[in-house]
Amino acid sequence: MYLASTITRSCLRLSSRTSTLWNRPASSSAGGGTLTDTHVEINGKQYAVDGITNATQPLLDKLGQRLHHNPIHPLHLIKRRIHEYFEKTYRKPNPSSAPLFTCLDDVHPVVTVQQNFDELLVPADHPARAKGDNYYLNKDYLLRAHTSAHQAEFLRSGLDAFLVTGDVYRRDCVDRTHYPCFHQMEGVRLYTSAELFPNEVHPPSLFVEGSEDTAERQSTHNPATTEVLEKELKSTLEGLVRHLFGADIKTEWAGEYFPFTHPSWELNIYFQDQWLEVLGCGIMRQQILDQAGASSKVGWAFGVGLERLAMILYGIPDIRFFWTTYHRFLDQFEPARNDINAQIQFTPFSKFAVCHKDVSFWTTAGKDFAGENDLMEIAREEAGDLIEWIEKVDYFENPKAKPGDAKFSSYCYRLNFRSHERQLLNTEINDIQLRIRAKVADKLGVILR
Ligand code: DAH
């Protein structure tokens, strides 16, 4: 998972999906952004372009589409189902017994580098900050790469329990489960000592003197604090997946690493004969709470990808579907308009053939070719949602060349194009392919073969 210790972002593993031609609404810039030579403009605010700027116009067009606010959109349904779980299960004590968690789902996706990384203790040299993995507006601002970016501001505003849902943006591979804009929900819950140990007449201190963290706990956390927080976190999230997938769903916890939590875990569920990772979570770093003025409390946090859950729950095979306005997709979710828990299984409505084209080139890079995400981006820019997946199909080193020679190593990527709505024409794909080739030669510093 993102920001995890082993960065496995290069993901030419599965296959598929996405498009410009593919049903972008006529006016896609409602609430979107505009890129000019000198600035990026979003919501009337201008961000001066600098050497770091890499947000693209197609991406800026996604801003403000508010998919998860459309009452029959599967992302909306998932969001509501999660809200429903938290509302039903967690209430403030009597007499108010109001829902404990505040639900925020309209928080703007432009954040500062400080919010996205620094306030979450992501080290200055952490690979998650790379330009190749994010959409920067300039050196100070980016499109949030995760909803964790809002933890600190809502803690500072005094909230103790909240859920933040929003669109997040990452440069990534092209396949059926990855899209440069997707949706996450962040959950945070803080506790005082009395809240964490409700049955103790004299609740223990949450904290101890400490200097070094161990694998099991943060140094200043009382072992009992960590133990109860872990139990509360895990039972909350196991309850959530049972609420979504049914009481029989098999779950498994695995240790993880995130800069903002310790200890950290991921939750896997067993679905259709395989284990699938569905969320990351952990005990919040006390430094984050201290910085946000909540030093007397402790807390846990989690982050979950909504497309992933919706794809599993509704059997949606390709992430591009979330962006279509084609009625044959959204019509299938009509039954949920009046019942968010309606049982729906998506029925594919098309089986158009894939059309593939290869792009091969020489590079000096050897095995360390760093331009893979740039290639993905170029393909998305030129093909929009017509590109389904991209896979590396060949690599070799030229026996007659030395490292550093222009023709030292050869890469071949297969670009697979398909629309779910119509058969693509060879001529249109040829045109797209030519434009991709030209941009690859121009932008990646490689020699086309
Ligand atoms: N922000 C992480 C990501 O995007 C997910 C995550 C992991 C959120 C652990 C959390 C957490 O709040 O505690 O991959």
Side-chain angles (χ1 to χ4, degrees), residues 198-239:
N199 301 324
E200 312 272 340
V201 183
H202 300 293
S205 168
L206 295 172
F207 304 105
V208 293
E209 283 288 316
S211 53
E212 295 278 321
D213 291 348
T214 62
E216 289 78 35
R217 65 176 178 92
Q218 295 175 43
S219 69
T220 60
H221 283 176
N222 186 339
T225 302
T226 307
E227 192 186 317
V228 181
L229 275 177
E230 176 177 344
K231 259 195 216 140
E232 289 269 319
L233 169 61
K234 290 185 170 175
S235 67
T236 302
L237 295 175
E238 284 168 15

Side-chain angles (χ1 to χ4, degrees), residues 1-4 116 120 145-149 151 168 170 182 184-188 233 256-266 277 279-284 300-305:
M1 182 172 246
Y2 177 64
L3 291 170
N116 202 78
L120 290 160
H146 54 171
T147 43
S148 307
Q151 278 188 11
V168 301
R170 292 188 204 164
F182 61 104
Q184 286 188 329
M185 187 186 292
E186 186 80 8
V188 166
L233 169 61
E256 243 309 352
Y257 166 84
F258 300 102
F260 29 88
T261 45
H262 183 70
S264 311
W265 299 273
E266 64 180 35
E277 177 205 322
L279 57 82
C281 64
I283 295 177
M284 295 173 79
W300 52 245
F302 71 88
V304 56

Side-chain angles (χ1 to χ4, degrees), residues 21-22 320 326 328 349-357 386 388 416-429 432:
L21 304 171
W22 207 52
R320 286 180 298 172
Y326 193 41
R328 292 181 72 185
F349 43 78
S350 70
K351 270 227 165 356
F352 295 112
V354 173
C355 170
H356 69 76
K357 301 278 170 197
L386 300 183
E388 185 163 298
N416 297 278
F417 300 88
R418 173 168 33 203
S419 161
H420 291 300
E421 293 162 26
R422 62 188 175 84
Q423 188 55 53
L424 299 177
L425 303 173
N426 222 344
T427 47
E428 72 182 311
I429 298 306
I432 293 172

Side-chain angles (χ1 to χ4, degrees), residues 15 40 232 318 435:
S15 42
V40 183
E232 289 269 319
D318 183 337
R435 295 202 304 271

Side-chain angles (χ1 to χ4, degrees), residues 426-442:
N426 222 344
T427 47
E428 72 182 311
I429 298 306
N430 279 341
D431 285 350
I432 293 172
Q433 171 74 353
L434 284 175
R435 295 202 304 271
I436 293 175
R437 282 176 65 82
K439 257 198 184 170
V440 164
D442 183 38

Side-chain angles (χ1 to χ4, degrees), residues 310-331:
M311 289 174 90
I312 300 172
L313 195 61
Y314 299 117
I316 300 170
D318 183 337
I319 199 167
R320 286 180 298 172
F321 279 117
F322 292 100
W323 293 90
T324 184
T325 54
Y326 193 41
H327 68 93
R328 292 181 72 185
F329 177 69
L330 277 182
D331 282 359

